[in-house]
Amino acid sequence: MNLKKKLSILTALAVFQAFAAIPANALAADQSDSTPVNTAKVKSVEVIKKEQTIAESEVKDQSGTQTSDNDTTEETNPESTDSSGTDVTPVDPAAPADSEDTEGTEEEAPAPTPVEVEQPSTSSQSGTAGGDLTLYMNSNKMVQDGKTYLAGQPMAVKNGVSYVAIRALVDRVGYDVKYDNTTKETIIISGEDELRFKTNSKIYTVNGEARTMKGAAYQQKNTFMVPLTSITQALNITYTVNQSAKTVVLKLSTKPVASFTVPKEVFAGDNVTYTTKYSSPKGLDIVDERWTGRQDSFDQPGTYTVTYAVQDSSGQWSDPYSVTIQVQKPNLPPVAMFTTDKEEYKMGEKITYIDQSTDDENAIETTEWDNNALAFFVPGPKTITITVTDKHGLSDSYSKIINITGETLYTLSDFNQLFTPVGGKFTFNGGEVPAMEKVPYTYYDEQSILIRSNSPETVNSEGIVYKESSIGQTRFMIHHVNNTGKNVKMYVVATNNNMYPATLEQQNMGFAGPSPFATVAGKLSIDRWFQSMQEGTGKLDVVLQPGESKLILTELSALPMKKGQVISLYSDVFSDYRLDYNIIMIEENKDPMEVWSTLPVLDRDGVHNRGTYPNATRVITYDQEVGAKPSRLPLGDNASDPNLVGTDPMAYTDASNAGNFGVLYKITLNNVAPRTLISFNPRGGKYSGVALVNGQVVQISEGKSLSAPNEQSVLYRTGSYGESVTILFSAAPGSNLPVNLLFTPLPAEK
């Protein structure tokens, strides 16, 4: 056989196979040579046939004999569910399907009546008029404008939800249908509106907004079936049900549709922006528009009604669309104003600023000060400015001049110690700190296992960043950066390998991120952890059956991490049986319960710390007086405060908890001298965190981080009598250790 003849035979065979594979989702009963063939407006299709008109006499009643394979009603149990556990590749409703039958594992059957919960009230009328479309229950018969059509599958009830063949319906309504091979989605186009469906999914989108259907879309003999009400609600199609006639009548409109929006707030005298939206169900061009009551600006406050309509190229006008606009009186800018308790001050004298700014709506959103120092230490006039901005963006500023005399009340050092607010910071000579006397404290450790997952801090690939088992009181410290080049999520998988059910009690939770800044995430996680302790929030019980694995500490995986972002978590848990824990980082769309057991264990980075450490709660109680003279209490220095010693269970080595990150310090000072400043001074680098002082969360420090060694942040001041002070502290991830608590006698007040 010569090559030309062979190619001709192959070509003919390919054409035959292509037509043999045409889906049966919308074919008319008449398949003669005279039947017209239509090409759909689609993205990824070949030639398909739409449903065609037939004579009424050719359509059999559902109780009669079958006229063709396409008019068959399949038997099914409405209460049954899909038994197949695998997804079926979506069949393009507008393109040829494979010649192989891809119907699902469940057959569709007629039910007495549609039982969908959201059915409207019934109607005694039947038939259609003006383009309305009548669907027949348990039948693939459709009637529109006196013509009868056949859908690829009958209208069916599945698990209490009425389903229709999507292609047959949208052809009759007059919309476009597409299939996206990339996303595996069936797409309906109605003017500017776009609906997207997926096989075996209850989720569909309308213009990108996700919505949930009563039942999942599915395929039946290459016909894509969707819940009727999902289509009608998304496309604003009303319908009525006639139970006696076993029909559903869709009220179709060929009119164009118009709408518009205006700003949420409209003020008299301001220009009004009208944003219009319009479309034609038939896809016709909009050629004209009509407004009633529209004004580019409204001179007076009050209530106004504006109406809008459009006309399509066939001459049809849309129904009028009206918006009631409440025009408010013109917005006035805020009035900035402040005063001071005096007009003239000595150097080092505290200045009190009194904000007297006002707004006609009491809606000042931001207040900014310039040069509002608590005190000045150079004589001369000083200009202070306040700027306030309301919620509409209007601003006002006010400046005031005060005078500073040449007389000194307090030195800068004395003033800072006396008047810097709690949580505020000030500079000093940090070189004097090492010479201060150390508080000779002793400590004991409470039993608590610390699982510190912090290496590799920067994670370059998917895997297990930490794995360990623990029983009883356990604390998790998790701090990692995503450097995988893709969006990821982190999870903690707990597994019960015991013979009995195990209960895990989540006691406190502090989580922050994803954030591009390690210090911000670290500080927030500690802050929220302490707040959880204060308020008793974050509590949760999880029961794991023998052999069961579950996700815990789910705050960790609430949001995906982008490249370069950091997450930080502190949490205390208690389990009555030993549980195995796997802390993993995987691509955001992967199922952690399916992949975690196959992931590789990642190596530590050699810089940061990971390990399992016992005795992770350190209790310091000091009964002798502090504060009568300058002194310091070092933390995280591996001398006065030795590092916890533990193991790296994945590297099979000993580990030392450098800086004692993850350790909770409970410090009780039973005899703090009257008029003592307790402050926080970092020694290892920048620090940003919080402490819990006498039950109150105190920032270290407000706003910007604290720098070593010449800055300190105010934690507490005692009054005229000695006090007992309790401080809870834990090093914030992303910050640097060691640190010192400083105890300094306050200067005398003048």
Side-chain angles (χ1 to χ4, degrees), residues 567-584:
I567 56 90
S568 191
L569 178 143
Y570 265 66
S571 184
D572 295 301
V573 304
F574 180 87
S575 63
D576 54 358
Y577 284 93
R578 182 170 295 277
L579 298 176
D580 296 332
Y581 301 108
N582 282 268
I583 304 171
I584 65 174

Side-chain angles (χ1 to χ4, degrees), residues 11-237:
T11 302
L13 179 60
V15 171
F16 175 78
Q17 289 175 335
F19 280 96
I22 292 175
N25 59 339
L27 297 180
D30 183 3
Q31 299 293 319
S32 67
D33 293 339
S34 62
T35 301
V37 177
N38 298 281
T39 303
K41 301 174 183 178
V42 297
K43 179 178 180 180
S44 172
V45 301
E46 296 180 16
V47 178
I48 70 100
K49 293 186 178 181
K50 295 184 180 180
E51 72 291 324
Q52 305 296 337
T53 58
I54 61 173
E56 179 68 30
S57 60
E58 294 183 70
V59 180
K60 299 294 183 182
D61 182 76
Q62 61 183 18
S63 61
T65 59
Q66 299 170 349
T67 60
S68 71
D69 290 342
N70 291 331
D71 201 14
T72 300
T73 301
E74 304 292 329
E75 294 293 325
T76 187
N77 179 358
E79 299 298 323
S80 66
T81 59
D82 287 335
S83 60
S84 171
T86 59
D87 291 338
V88 179
T89 302
V91 175
D92 183 349
D98 295 336
S99 58
E100 184 176 338
D101 189 4
T102 59
E103 77 177 87
T105 59
E106 181 181 34
E107 298 290 319
E108 293 300 313
T113 59
V115 293
E116 195 163 0
V117 175
E118 65 268 37
Q119 282 186 347
S121 59
T122 60
S123 170
S124 60
Q125 298 179 354
S126 63
T128 63
D132 290 349
L133 178 65
T134 299
L135 308 178
Y136 287 80
M137 302 176 189
N138 313 311
S139 171
N140 55 352
K141 174 183 171 183
M142 303 183 299
V143 175
Q144 185 179 38
D145 294 332
K147 297 179 181 180
T148 300
Y149 302 84
L150 294 182
Q153 288 293 320
M155 179 179 173
V157 176
K158 182 177 180 180
N159 297 329
V161 180
S162 297
Y163 284 83
V164 293
I166 190 172
R167 177 54 197 263
L169 178 63
V170 298
D171 277 346
R172 298 275 47 83
V173 175
Y175 301 141
D176 291 340
V177 61
K178 300 181 180 181
Y179 182 73
D180 191 328
N181 275 317
T182 303
T183 62
K184 308 298 183 187
E185 292 174 313
T186 297
I187 306 170
I188 296 175
I189 305 296
S190 168
E192 297 181 358
D193 295 323
E194 178 185 86
L195 284 65
R196 288 176 173 259
F197 298 84
K198 278 190 176 182
T199 303
N200 299 328
S201 175
K202 287 186 177 182
I203 304 301
Y204 73 111
T205 62
V206 179
N207 299 326
E209 177 189 346
R211 299 185 184 179
T212 302
M213 301 185 286
K214 293 292 183 180
Y218 68 94
Q219 291 185 78
Q220 179 73 17
K221 292 188 179 296
N222 295 345
T223 300
F224 194 54
M225 306 288 287
V226 296
L228 173 63
T229 52
S230 300
I231 293 287
T232 56
Q233 289 173 1
L235 298 177
N236 296 316
I237 299 173

